[in-house]
Amino acid sequence: MGAFPALDTPLVEVDDTITIQKALDILFENRILSFPVYDKKIDDYVGFFDVSDAFSVIMGVNKLKKRMPSSKLRDQVLDVHGVKVDLSKSTTGDGLDLPISIFLLEDSESRNSRR
């Protein structure tokens, strides 16, 4: 296992529109467990994404694959940390192409309407 990143490592932040797969890639590339999520539309941080969010989607889909045919996966909604992950909105069927904004407490439009 590698060393923990140094304290002088630059902060990794991402836009709320990136996919779960891209977020997981960034976590691994930077050897970090989480990062703040930034919404450019409102010019503010809107939450955190962490490795357990991505792994929960992966594990949830794998459990479903063991219980049902692949053709039925797209009709399913996973409950990941209280967040509903609708696989019908996933073009890949595994949920990793969905935006990380699904894990934030509010979506971008709700945040914009409050401002």
Side-chain angles (χ1 to χ4, degrees), residues 20 24 51-67 73 78-81 85 87 94-96 103:
I20 295 169
L24 196 54
V51 70
S52 71
D53 295 326
F55 284 165
S56 294
V57 171
I58 293 167
M59 290 172 29
V61 169
N62 283 335
K63 283 182 186 177
L64 288 175
K65 283 181 179 178
K66 291 178 183 177
R67 294 190 308 214
L73 279 179
L78 293 174
D79 185 331
V80 178
H81 306 300
V85 178
L87 294 178
D94 60 9
L96 296 179
F103 288 103

Side-chain angles (χ1 to χ4, degrees), residues 15-110:
D15 185 81
D16 68 338
T17 61
I18 69 166
T19 65
I20 295 169
Q21 179 64 60
K22 180 62 178 166
L24 196 54
D25 293 344
I26 291 169
L27 290 170
F28 287 148
E29 288 166 8
N30 290 279
R31 298 169 39 193
I32 56 177
L33 299 174
S34 64
F35 47 66
V37 179
Y38 191 78
D39 186 334
K40 291 178 184 176
K41 294 176 195 156
I42 63 169
D43 193 28
D44 202 1
Y45 291 98
V46 292
F48 277 84
F49 181 86
D50 83 31
V51 70
S52 71
D53 295 326
F55 284 165
S56 294
V57 171
I58 293 167
M59 290 172 29
V61 169
N62 283 335
K63 283 182 186 177
L64 288 175
K65 283 181 179 178
K66 291 178 183 177
R67 294 190 308 214
M68 66 184 58
S70 301
S71 60
K72 299 275 187 189
L73 279 179
R74 292 192 190 275
D75 301 330
Q76 302 302 307
V77 177
L78 293 174
D79 185 331
V80 178
H81 306 300
V83 174
K84 302 299 182 202
V85 178
D86 185 352
L87 294 178
S88 70
K89 295 181 180 179
S90 172
T91 58
T92 60
D94 60 9
L96 296 179
D97 62 327
L98 298 173
I100 62 171
S101 60
I102 64 171
F103 288 103
L104 304 175
L105 292 177
E106 301 175 277
D107 64 19
S108 182
E109 289 181 21
S110 297

